[in-house]
Amino acid sequence: MPLPTPNSHRRTLLKTFLYGASASTLPWLTGCGSDGTSPVAAGGTVTPSGSNRFGGTAVNTAQFRFRNIGPLGEADANGVRVAQGFTTRVVAISNMPPASGATPWHIFNDGGGVVPRDNGGWIYCSNSEVPGVGTLGFQVPQLAPLANPIENLVPGLGGASALVFDPDGTVVDSYRILTGTTFNCAGVITPWKTWLSCEEIPTGLVWECDPFGQNAARSLPTLGLFSHEAVAIDSSRKLIYMTEDMPDGRFYRWVPAANDWPSGAARPMFNQGLLQVLKVGGAGVEGALKSPQPYTWVAAANPGSPQSDNRLPDTTVFDGGEGVWYQNDRVFFTTKGDDRLWMLNTSAQTIEVAYDLSTAKAPNNILSGVDNITMTPFGEVLVCEDGGDMQVVVVYPDGVLVPLLQIVGQDQSEIAGISFSPDGKRMYFTSDRGGPNPAGGYGLGFGMLYELQIPDSVPNVIL
């Protein structure tokens, strides 16, 4: 079978699974957002000032965190290319307990995020993107009327897990925080320290999970039924943004009812709110390639029903919505169908394309297969590649792109789940279909989680 192009990578692999995969083909199967307050936490060496186009605090290249890290070296023992001074380690492998007595790590790990613990440690929350009957409707929309009712009767095999770290970075436990769901993709750590996990099927829901494993997960139908990819939270304005991973997908916003997130409340109750869909005005999407365009929000039709059956023709199509991130009046999201990074300026009420592969010029055209994203407070957008060159690429406000790392020998996997430890000195990322090679080293498998250790010479940030 020829290798799929980056834009069709995951759908091609899903067809292999759904239409007759065997045990020998399963390892080739495929397997994020923010409130703008915690991409990197206290403990750094730089106090940035000012602002830039991306809403970050760095105003010159010297202040950026990863701008000047230098070229990537040869692959290390874990199969990862990093710049000088950086190191990696593998912290969890699918179907294996990451610590003594811990629950084995789930398969096909995708989006992830970090919650601090009171003892100075942290918890990494991770989704398990195991497909199910409902995935048929994601893969082949014409089959959704058949697949969706069956999905509602068959418990999913996906969900989410938690990986617990002590303050020195030692992995001490893992456990499930969500079960019975299907094709859980990305999500977000909330300001109130829960994990929102997204189901990427036509009837998909967002689920709120307790990273500490004390409370049962609950579904949030008020956030809509659609192929949820990722979530981002603007807690100051009490708004939630969501992407939809479908070729005719839309970009959504949820506005809580006044009594659902009342003044002074730390969080919404997620019982009542308005689901809205983005509509680009002015010169439209093509105009946004050249300059910022105005946008408005339109109330979703039949918000309690699958949105793939209730499209509003005057709302804007975004081909394959992926990661989303909110920070300082900016909402960034990616679309894999056209390899673009979009930016909403929520104060100016405009949208523009911050990166477009088809029009980017060398050397700043190294990003393809755009997927999960995260940001640093400096205004650097870190984009994971689904396929592509299996890189994490940093996008800068002036258009410069810098590769942060690259996984080799796992070309039919994807990178996801990037998130920083509370002190900003470690970054986590997954290889959704990576795993140990019988002969040694790492290749394709059922998923694994890496840690990138960042040297002290790289600027950190004090919040």
Side-chain angles (χ1 to χ4, degrees):
M1 181 179 69
L3 294 179
T5 60
N7 289 341
S8 64
H9 186 75
R10 178 157 53 175
R11 293 178 185 272
T12 301
L13 292 168
L14 278 169
K15 286 182 179 178
T16 302
F17 175 80
L18 292 167
Y19 306 122
S22 66
S24 63
T25 60
L26 281 175
W28 301 72
L29 175 68
T30 176
C32 250
S34 172
D35 68 335
T37 61
S38 58
V40 180
T45 58
V46 172
T47 304
S49 60
S51 62
N52 59 45
R53 172 173 162 253
F54 281 9
T57 50
V59 293
N60 59 60
T61 59
Q63 288 183 302
F64 285 124
R65 191 168 198 207
F66 299 116
R67 180 70 167 242
N68 303 306
I69 60 173
L72 304 184
E74 296 298 318
D76 62 16
N78 298 319
V80 185
R81 299 180 62 213
V82 295
Q84 185 175 2
F86 290 77
T87 57
T88 70
R89 67 168 176 152
V90 175
V91 294
I93 298 173
S94 62
N95 295 321
M96 298 176 62
S100 177
T103 300
W105 194 238
H106 59 244
I107 65 174
F108 307 141
N109 38 194
D110 201 273
V114 169
V115 171
R117 300 170 63 200
D118 290 341
N119 70 347
W122 56 93
I123 298 173
Y124 179 84
C125 298
S126 173
N127 282 344
S128 178
E129 197 180 34
V130 180
V133 177
T135 315
L136 284 166
F138 164 79
Q139 176 63 39
V140 184
Q142 295 88 338
L143 295 178
L146 172 65
N148 292 348
I150 300 176
E151 171 66 32
N152 292 332
L153 300 174
V154 181
L157 300 175
S161 297
L163 191 66
V164 184
F165 293 82
D166 269 351
D168 64 356
T170 301
V171 178
V172 295
D173 200 5
S174 67
Y175 44 84
R176 295 303 293 260
I177 56 175
L178 175 65
T179 59
T181 57
T182 297
F183 216 46
N184 294 81
C185 197
V188 66
I189 296 292
T190 68
W192 49 93
K193 294 185 179 182
T194 63
W195 168 246
L196 300 187
S197 178
C198 297
E199 285 186 294
E200 192 185 357
I201 54 176
T203 56
L205 293 164
V206 176
W207 294 76
E208 185 170 29
C209 312
D210 177 11
F212 301 90
Q214 301 299 310
N215 301 301
R218 68 178 184 120
S219 63
L220 307 177
T222 187
L223 297 185
L225 280 70
F226 55 89
S227 292
H228 285 273
E229 172 78 22
V231 185
I233 302 172
D234 176 356
S235 56
S236 61
R237 293 187 178 89
K238 301 180 179 179
L239 298 170
I240 292 180
Y241 298 92
M242 297 169 285
T243 52
E244 180 182 22
D245 189 356
M246 294 289 284
D248 64 341
R250 303 306 202 260
F251 187 75
Y252 298 88
R253 183 176 79 167
W254 182 75
V255 184
N259 62 352
D260 193 279
W261 197 343
S263 178
R267 54 158 298 160
M269 292 179 284
F270 287 120
N271 292 325
Q272 185 179 5
L274 178 64
L275 184 67
Q276 298 177 320
V277 190
L278 187 72
K279 177 181 179 180
V280 180
V285 166
E286 292 306 310
L289 282 165
K290 301 176 181 178
S291 62
Q293 302 297 315
Y295 66 83
T296 55
W297 295 98
V298 179
N302 300 317
S305 301
Q307 288 301 293
S308 56
D309 299 332
N310 292 275
R311 300 297 191 200
L312 295 172
D314 61 339
T315 56
T316 301
V317 173
F318 292 98
D319 186 357
E322 292 285 344
V324 62
W325 192 269
Y326 171 80
Q327 182 169 295
N328 296 342
D329 298 338
R330 308 291 192 275
V331 181
F332 291 86
F333 66 97
T334 54
T335 48
K336 67 184 180 187
D338 46 23
D339 276 314
R340 289 175 178 170
L341 172 67
W342 301 80
M343 182 180 74
L344 294 181
N345 185 323
T346 60
S347 56
Q349 294 289 291
T350 59
I351 182 172
E352 61 185 284
V353 177
Y355 173 79
D356 172 61
L357 177 61
S358 66
T359 57
K361 305 297 183 183
N364 298 313
N365 60 349
I366 60 172
L367 176 60
S368 63
V370 297
D371 202 303
N372 282 191
I373 63 174
T374 191
M375 288 187 72
T376 73
F378 298 98
E380 299 160 298
V381 184
L382 280 63
V383 185
C384 296
E385 289 189 330
D386 177 355
D389 295 323
M390 283 293 289
Q391 297 184 114
V392 173
V393 177
V394 189
V395 181
Y396 285 91
D398 58 0
V400 171
L401 272 61
V402 173
L404 177 60
L405 60 86
Q406 181 180 26
I407 300 176
V408 299
Q410 301 176 34
D411 290 347
Q412 294 206 21
S413 184
E414 62 179 285
I415 301 179
I418 47 177
S419 186
F420 291 96
S421 61
D423 62 5
K425 296 180 179 180
R426 307 166 192 255
M427 189 190 83
Y428 297 95
F429 62 100
T430 71
S431 176
D432 288 18
R433 293 172 301 282
N437 276 328
Y442 298 95
L444 293 178
F446 288 90
M448 56 193 295
L449 177 65
Y450 288 96
E451 179 186 87
L452 176 72
Q453 297 174 349
I454 303 169
D456 292 339
S457 59
V458 172
N460 206 345
V461 62
I462 299 174
L463 296 180

